Amino acid sequence: MMKYDVVVVGAGPIGSMVAKYAAKNGADTLLIEEHQEIGAPVACAGIISTRALDECEIGLGRWINREVKGAFIYSPDGNSIAVGGNETKAYVIERKTFDQELVRRALKMGVDILLKTRAVGLKNRVLEVISHGEHLKIEADIVIGADGVKSQVARWAALGNVKKVLGGVQIEGLYELRDPEFVEVFTGSVAPGFFAWTIPIEDGIARIGLCANAKPFHHFRTMLESHSIISKRYHGSYLDFVVGGIPLGPPERTTADGVMLVGDAAGQVKPTSGGGIYTGVLCAKIAGEVAAKAIKEGDTSAKRLAEYERRWRSVIGRELKIGMKIHESLGKLSDSDFNGVIGALDDPGVLGIISQYGDMDYPSAVVKELILAKPGLLRLSGVLAKALR
């Protein structure tokens, strides 16, 4: 039987970061991945903030497809506002290359890895896996679940579920870009409960996708066939097809005896955008550090690991709660409501505030500033202002 201090299940960006930080702090660490190749299949829109890239500690490289300087936000009636535009706000990344680089950094820190290795059970700190068709048992002081929205580790540890899961669909195909440095966001019934998007990859190529509360395939097909803007700019055929889920709202607990959850498995995802790399990496660093310290102390009980729970919630917990309230509020708006809100935002003063304070990672900042500067503005939605109380 193999023996490790820490075993991390899932070698996505969050899993590789938590493994790196566990090893960095002295833990003998194994990273396992059920697929035979890092970064495949892709299940992400592939856009991250400049701050998120900094947190990933890899900088600019071949994993960057394009810089993003702003966004066009469309109302259901086809009108739009432009936000940002003066400086780089985010990067479009090639997720396969990006993920592989993060794992490479973890390996250099001393992490071991097993590919094509699927976790199938966890009992009494023994993780059962099927690795290249062979059934193995791995003894671990701590198992960290970075195994995504349908986390098996969470289920085995009886840690409960995230509050909500959105369904998403995305393709990469031929598309007439309005501006190669801007993403597009489409609100309203095109994607009930969330939004649709286009993300520029290269000239004439974009990622086109949406997330919705229900029936994402139906809404996606309808969007490509009949949306007043997207259907005219999309020229058929695609290079890639991705489906996935976005988990919103952390479970009540993310730690148990010898178990921790991180990233999508812990619902550490921004409810306003669906992005999880920045928030997940912040939490992964804390998890790796706490796991290594707990092992050195010889105490991997739920009580000891609760340090991770306290620390990650103190860092991003309030932002996730506010984001969830904003998400739920926006989900109640009709197309007419969105037309009114975006029409009201189409004001030089308001757009100036959004450009100055808008932040992919901390959306509550711009909402606060808008309420202070234009107290009547957000009343158009009826409920957004309540999210900050």
Side-chain angles (χ1 to χ4, degrees):
M1 182 186 298
M2 290 186 286
K3 170 70 170 74
Y4 283 88
D5 295 334
V6 174
V7 177
V8 180
V9 181
I14 311 308
S16 59
M17 186 61 72
V18 72
K20 173 183 171 181
Y21 265 69
K24 180 179 180 180
N25 285 278
D28 187 19
T29 305
L30 173 68
L31 179 63
I32 70 170
E33 169 57 45
E34 66 175 324
H35 299 103
Q36 62 185 10
E37 186 177 17
I38 298 296
V42 174
C44 171
I47 182 168
I48 65 172
S49 67
T50 55
R51 185 188 290 108
L53 189 68
D54 290 342
E55 285 294 335
C56 289
E57 302 173 351
I58 64 172
L60 301 177
R62 64 189 185 282
W63 42 87
I64 303 296
N65 277 335
R66 189 175 289 263
E67 296 180 355
V68 173
K69 294 188 175 179
F72 296 116
I73 303 175
Y74 288 84
S75 55
D77 61 11
N79 292 321
S80 67
I81 57 173
V83 177
N86 296 322
E87 58 186 38
T88 300
K89 302 286 188 180
Y91 298 101
V92 180
I93 58 173
E94 190 63 42
R95 268 297 300 267
K96 183 176 177 181
T97 308
F98 179 78
D99 287 15
Q100 289 178 348
E101 181 63 24
L102 288 175
V103 170
R104 188 175 290 112
R105 302 291 176 101
L107 299 185
K108 289 180 179 179
M109 194 60 69
V111 174
D112 291 338
I113 187 168
L114 285 176
L115 297 177
K116 205 171 182 183
T117 301
R118 179 168 57 93
V120 295
L122 174 63
K123 188 175 182 180
N124 297 326
R125 301 178 190 260
V126 174
L127 185 69
E128 297 186 36
V129 304
I130 296 176
S131 182
H132 297 272
E134 182 181 2
H135 192 279
L136 303 174
K137 292 185 178 182
I138 307 170
E139 186 179 345
D141 293 310
I142 298 175
V143 173
I144 301 179
D147 50 340
V149 61
K150 295 180 179 179
S151 173
Q152 293 281 20
V153 175
R155 184 172 64 85
W156 294 328
L159 285 171
N161 302 313
V162 297
K163 302 294 189 297
K164 180 179 185 179
V165 178
L166 300 175
V169 184
Q170 177 181 271
I171 60 172
E172 196 169 297
L174 297 172
Y175 186 80
E176 291 181 28
L177 299 167
R178 178 173 169 182
D179 188 309
E181 293 184 324
F182 275 60
V183 299
E184 296 177 318
V185 175
F186 300 88
T187 63
S189 58
V190 62
F194 211 58
F195 57 82
W197 62 83
T198 67
I199 300 171
I201 304 301
E202 57 185 80
D203 291 346
I205 301 288
R207 292 176 187 150
I208 308 164
L210 61 74
C211 273
N213 280 332
K215 299 181 179 179
F217 286 103
H218 166 74
H219 294 296
F220 185 72
R221 185 171 59 250
T222 301
M223 177 181 75
L224 293 184
E225 293 174 352
S226 59
H227 188 272
S228 61
I229 296 170
I230 294 175
S231 65
K232 292 181 175 63
R233 295 203 208 149
Y234 170 59
H235 294 298
S237 301
Y238 49 85
L239 308 171
D240 194 25
F241 182 84
V242 174
V243 297
I246 297 180
L248 303 182
E252 294 301 317
R253 294 184 299 125
T254 57
T255 56
D257 287 336
V259 175
M260 309 166 81
L261 302 179
V262 69
D264 283 7
Q268 294 161 342
V269 174
K270 293 172 287 186
T272 49
S273 69
I277 291 181
Y278 174 68
T279 48
V281 165
L282 285 179
C283 298
K285 292 178 179 180
I286 297 170
E289 178 189 327
V290 170
K293 285 168 55 181
I295 286 163
K296 287 178 182 177
E297 295 167 11
D299 182 2
T300 58
S301 66
K303 183 177 180 180
R304 176 63 186 87
L305 299 183
E307 178 192 341
Y308 162 65
E309 189 95 49
R310 292 190 299 269
R311 286 176 59 184
W312 83 252
R313 290 186 189 273
S314 72
V315 172
I316 65 164
R318 183 173 183 273
E319 190 69 30
L320 293 185
K321 286 182 180 179
I322 292 172
M324 196 66 174
K325 291 180 180 179
I326 294 172
H327 164 78
E328 290 170 348
S329 298
L330 291 174
K332 297 174 183 176
L333 302 187
S334 66
D335 281 357
S336 178
D337 292 330
F338 273 114
N339 292 337
V341 170
I342 292 175
L345 292 175
D346 193 8
D347 171 274
V350 171
L351 293 177
I353 291 171
I354 296 174
S355 294
Q356 181 178 356
Y357 293 100
D359 192 318
M360 288 176 63
D361 301 313
Y362 296 97
S364 64
V366 70
V367 175
K368 287 180 181 177
E369 293 299 327
L370 286 171
I371 290 172
L372 290 173
K374 303 280 185 177
L377 177 67
L378 292 183
R379 293 196 189 114
L380 285 170
S381 72
V383 285
L384 281 183
K386 294 178 183 177
L388 297 177
R389 292 180 183 173

